[in-house]
Amino acid sequence: IDNSEEVFDFLKKKNFYFFEGADINFSTQIFFFREALSVFCVLGSGLTNCIFSPDGVKVVAPAPEDWGDSFFYPLIQARSGKFADVRGKISQLNLALKRDSAFLIDIEKLDQAFQSLGM
C-alpha cells in the first residue's frame, strides 16, 4: 500500500494492533487471530489464519483494483463473519503478478468499508 502511513493513521484511530505474521511464531499468530474481532489485511495469504478467528469476525481486505480473488469469502462466511473489499488504484503495476502491484487506498472508501461492517 503506497499510502500506508495514512492507512496506519486511520487504523490507529480505530485502535488496531499491528503485527507482521512473518515476525512471530505460528502459535502467537493463532492467539492473535483467536482474539481478533476485527482484521485488516491486504487480500492474500495473510488472511489464512482467519480460520482461527471467532465467529462474527469482521474483515477488511484491501487489494489492487481489478484483481479478483474469492478464496477468503467462504472462509469468513464459515466463521459467520462479515467481509469488505477495498480496491485501490494501482500506482506501480507489477506486470508479472498484478496482485503484487503497489496501490493506493482511498481513506474515504476505507472508512465506508468500516462503517458498512459496523466498525
Side-chain angles (χ1 to χ4, degrees), residues 8-79:
F8 280 7
D9 287 344
F10 175 87
L11 295 171
K12 286 176 190 171
K13 290 176 186 170
K14 299 283 187 181
N15 296 316
F16 270 72
Y17 175 79
F18 301 90
F19 71 91
E20 179 64 43
D23 294 341
I24 57 176
N25 65 46
F26 184 60
S27 60
T28 303
Q29 291 177 41
I30 291 172
F31 171 80
F32 284 142
F33 275 87
R34 277 175 140 165
E35 300 297 317
L37 302 176
S38 303
V39 173
F40 176 90
C41 182
V42 173
L43 186 61
S45 61
L47 290 169
T48 303
N49 284 338
C50 284
I51 196 165
F52 302 110
S53 294
D55 285 346
V57 66
K58 297 175 182 178
V59 177
V60 176
E65 62 189 335
D66 300 328
W67 179 56
D69 183 344
S70 59
F71 179 83
F72 293 99
Y73 303 130
L75 174 65
I76 303 309
Q77 282 182 322
R79 309 275 2 113

Side-chain angles (χ1 to χ4, degrees), residues 80-91:
S80 300
K82 295 181 180 180
F83 191 98
D85 272 319
V86 180
R87 300 305 171 132
K89 181 178 172 130
I90 292 176
S91 52

Side-chain angles (χ1 to χ4, degrees), residues 95-109:
L95 293 173
L97 286 172
K98 190 171 186 179
R99 70 169 190 229
D100 290 341
S101 296
F103 62 102
L104 299 163
I105 295 295
D106 181 319
I107 299 301
E108 281 187 43
K109 288 182 181 179

